[in-house]
């Protein structure tokens, strides 16, 4: 009942309210992005949604237009060289994710759920299949995001996504929601370059 009907209704209402209340901020950020670097305001990318159906995710553009396409940030040799000055701030504060309120409004995503994988992140998609995590709408934030975010290895991330599927309920969504607010304020788990960068750091200490 909750997963099929109530959750979707809550998502729609929250996304609509969010867009209305945050519209001045969305406008200001759009102007800043446009005047500080060449290229579009929004970044669109194919992501894997519910039941492995692809959709176009929306983000504020944080990287230069010459950044390799459809490549996860953690696979770039030096992601900092592609991120704009404004983009660094947007990514650190997670403000680049705000356009996904539209994805939630139209039903591509939920407020809480596994973060949508890139269409070519076959390892993550495959791991999530083991836990039925591809059978629900991906989220703006989720259980994995407040338990490591960029720091998580693929198998750990997929397992946490599966744990979310098992515990999916209104109270667990609230736990993820307020946990996300705390994580954003503390900038927990944000590592440009993700697990690849952590691997390099670990190797340098050996």
């Amino acid at each position: 009942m909750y997963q099929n009907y109530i959750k979707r209704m809550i998502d729609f209402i929250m996304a609509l309210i969010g867009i209305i209340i945050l519209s001045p901020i969305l406008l200001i950020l759009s102007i800043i992005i446009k005047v500080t670097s060449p290229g579009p305001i929004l970044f669109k990318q194919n992501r894997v949604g519910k039941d492995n159906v692809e959709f176009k995710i929306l983000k504020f553009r944080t990287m230069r237009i010459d950044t390799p396409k459809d490549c996860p940030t953690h696979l770039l040799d030096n992601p900092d060289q592609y991120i704009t000055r404004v983009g660094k701030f947007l990514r650190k504060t997670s403000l680049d994710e705000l356009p996904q309120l539209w994805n939630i409004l139209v039903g591509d995503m939920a407020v809480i759920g596994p973060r949508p994988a890139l269409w070519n992140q076959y390892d993550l998609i495959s791991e999530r299949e083991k836990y039925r995590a591809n059978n629900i709408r991906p989220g703006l934030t989720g259980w994995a995001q407040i338990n490591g975010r960029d720091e998580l290895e693929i198998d750990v991330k997929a397992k946490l996504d599966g744990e979310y599927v098992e515990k999916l309920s209104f109270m667990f969504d609230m736990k993820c929601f307020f946990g996300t607010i705390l994580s954003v304020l503390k900038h927990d788990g944000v590592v440009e370059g993700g697990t690849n960068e952590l691997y390099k750091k670990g190797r340098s200490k050996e």
Side-chain angles (χ1 to χ4, degrees), residues 158-174:
K159 189 173 183 178
L160 284 168
D161 290 334
E163 186 177 340
Y164 171 76
V165 174
E166 291 179 3
K167 297 181 178 180
L168 206 163
S169 66
F170 176 75
M171 291 307 297
F172 197 62
D173 274 357
M174 289 299 99

Side-chain angles (χ1 to χ4, degrees), residues 22-37 39-42 59-61 86 90 95 98-99:
L22 297 174
S23 56
I25 295 176
L26 294 170
L27 178 60
I28 292 171
L29 291 177
S30 297
I31 294 172
I32 292 174
I33 293 168
K34 191 64 178 178
V35 301
T36 56
S37 65
I41 294 169
L42 294 178
K59 289 188 177 187
F60 279 128
R61 182 176 57 81
V86 173
L90 293 176
L95 289 173
L98 287 181

Side-chain angles (χ1 to χ4, degrees), residues 71-104:
C71 181
T73 306
H74 70 273
L75 293 182
L76 295 172
D77 290 333
N78 181 15
D80 280 335
Q81 68 177 310
Y82 297 108
I83 302 172
T84 66
R85 284 183 298 174
V86 173
K88 289 181 180 179
F89 169 76
L90 293 176
R91 292 164 77 96
K92 186 175 183 179
T93 58
S94 296
L95 289 173
D96 61 317
E97 310 285 357
L98 287 181
Q100 286 161 50
L101 288 171
W102 176 257
N103 288 122
I104 297 171

